[in-house]
Amino acid sequence: MPAFRASFLLRSASALAVVALASGPVLAQQQDPGFFIPGGQRPAQPQPQQPRPAQPAQQQRPAQAPARPNTQAPAPLPPGQQPPDAVIGIVDVPEIQRVSTAFNQVRDEIERRRQRLNDDLQREQNNWREQQQQLANQRATLPPDQLRERERTLQDRITDSQRIFRERSRAIEQAAQQALQEIEQALGGVIRQVAASRKVNLVLPRPLVIFNDPPFDLTEEVAQQFNRVLRSVTMPPDATGGAEAPAAQAPARPAAPAPAPAAQQRR
């Protein structure tokens, strides 16, 4: 190799080494070692891709603002009559019920009817259990057809009794509601009557009032007038007729043999 060409290659390699150190790893990766081989061909470099023209952004329509509700104030009404000054009265309804003869009469009658219903139901349930126990004891001795017939009879009796007791309970509740409505209507009329006599135009129940002077309390006067107006309430009779289910027929016992005549006994 001539000295000129060797020195030229050394200088070129030194210069490229300096450029490679300055350019960093990017240049070293892009450099092809075949370029320094004597007589070698320079590899074809890839053509840079032409940048695509930027597409114009689609124009977005501006969002429509939501329709505002109509906040326009309504037209003012013509001036009306000013309410009078409040004259307040206080009434304790539970206290009036406690001393009311009509209310106590209704309460006692409803309690008696409910107690009678519970007693009848308890008695009927005991009869059911007794009949069921008798059928259980006779299960081994009775024919299957007769056993099924008695079981069906007992089940029908239980079903009818339950229906009757439900009707009795419903009748008691309806009688209580009717009596209480009558008491409530009468009490409302007495409260208005006492309030009008005292020039009271606003009556409040005592549980809503934290403090009041005694002159505001109308309870005692209302209670006395209420006992004069309504002393008792007529209630419908208790529907106990036919309420109790008929007692189930006990299994027929074999009749005892008749005693032998005296002549036969001597023999």
Side-chain angles (χ1 to χ4, degrees), residues 49 80 166 187 208:
Q49 297 181 358
R166 284 195 299 267
L187 179 59
L208 297 181

Side-chain angles (χ1 to χ4, degrees), residues 239-267:
T240 56
E244 298 184 21
Q249 296 180 359
R253 296 181 180 179
Q264 296 180 0
Q265 290 180 359
R266 294 193 189 97
R267 295 179 183 176

Side-chain angles (χ1 to χ4, degrees), residues 166-179:
R166 284 195 299 267
E167 292 176 356
R168 287 182 57 184
S169 177
R170 191 181 304 112
I172 293 175
E173 297 302 326
Q174 290 178 356
Q177 290 295 331
Q178 293 176 2

Side-chain angles (χ1 to χ4, degrees), residues 46-137:
Q47 297 293 332
Q49 297 181 358
Q50 298 292 333
R52 296 180 181 179
Q55 297 181 358
Q58 297 181 356
Q59 297 181 358
Q60 299 181 356
R61 297 179 180 179
Q64 297 181 359
R68 296 181 179 179
N70 188 8
T71 58
Q72 188 175 6
L77 297 175
Q81 184 178 2
Q82 185 178 359
D85 296 336
V87 182
I88 301 175
I90 309 299
V91 172
D92 190 348
V93 175
E95 177 63 20
I96 297 175
Q97 293 177 347
R98 188 184 66 84
V99 299
S100 169
T101 56
F103 184 83
N104 291 328
Q105 173 245 335
V106 171
R107 183 190 60 189
D108 296 341
E109 178 63 23
I110 294 300
E111 290 180 356
R112 280 194 298 269
R113 294 185 181 187
R114 288 175 177 171
Q115 185 62 40
R116 189 182 305 117
L117 177 64
N118 293 333
D119 295 341
D120 294 344
L121 178 59
Q122 185 66 32
R123 189 182 307 109
E124 184 66 16
Q125 289 177 347
N126 292 335
N127 293 332
W128 299 343
R129 284 190 289 267
E130 292 177 1
Q131 295 300 318
Q132 290 173 351
Q133 185 63 35
Q134 291 180 7
L135 290 177
N137 296 336

Side-chain angles (χ1 to χ4, degrees), residues 175-246:
Q177 290 295 331
Q178 293 176 2
L180 292 178
Q181 288 179 2
E182 182 177 351
I183 291 175
E184 182 180 356
Q185 293 177 0
L187 179 59
V190 170
I191 290 176
R192 288 191 295 269
Q193 182 183 9
V194 173
S197 66
R198 298 279 294 271
K199 307 299 181 181
V200 172
N201 55 17
L202 181 61
V203 178
L204 298 177
R206 179 178 289 178
L208 297 181
V209 179
I210 298 177
F211 171 77
N212 66 282
D213 289 334
F216 289 94
D217 200 331
L218 309 178
T219 302
E220 184 177 359
E221 187 175 354
V222 171
Q224 294 177 359
Q225 180 65 18
F226 184 60
N227 280 330
R228 286 192 291 266
V229 171
L230 186 67
R231 300 193 60 84
S232 63
V233 176
T234 303
M235 299 182 61
D238 188 9
T240 56
E244 298 184 21

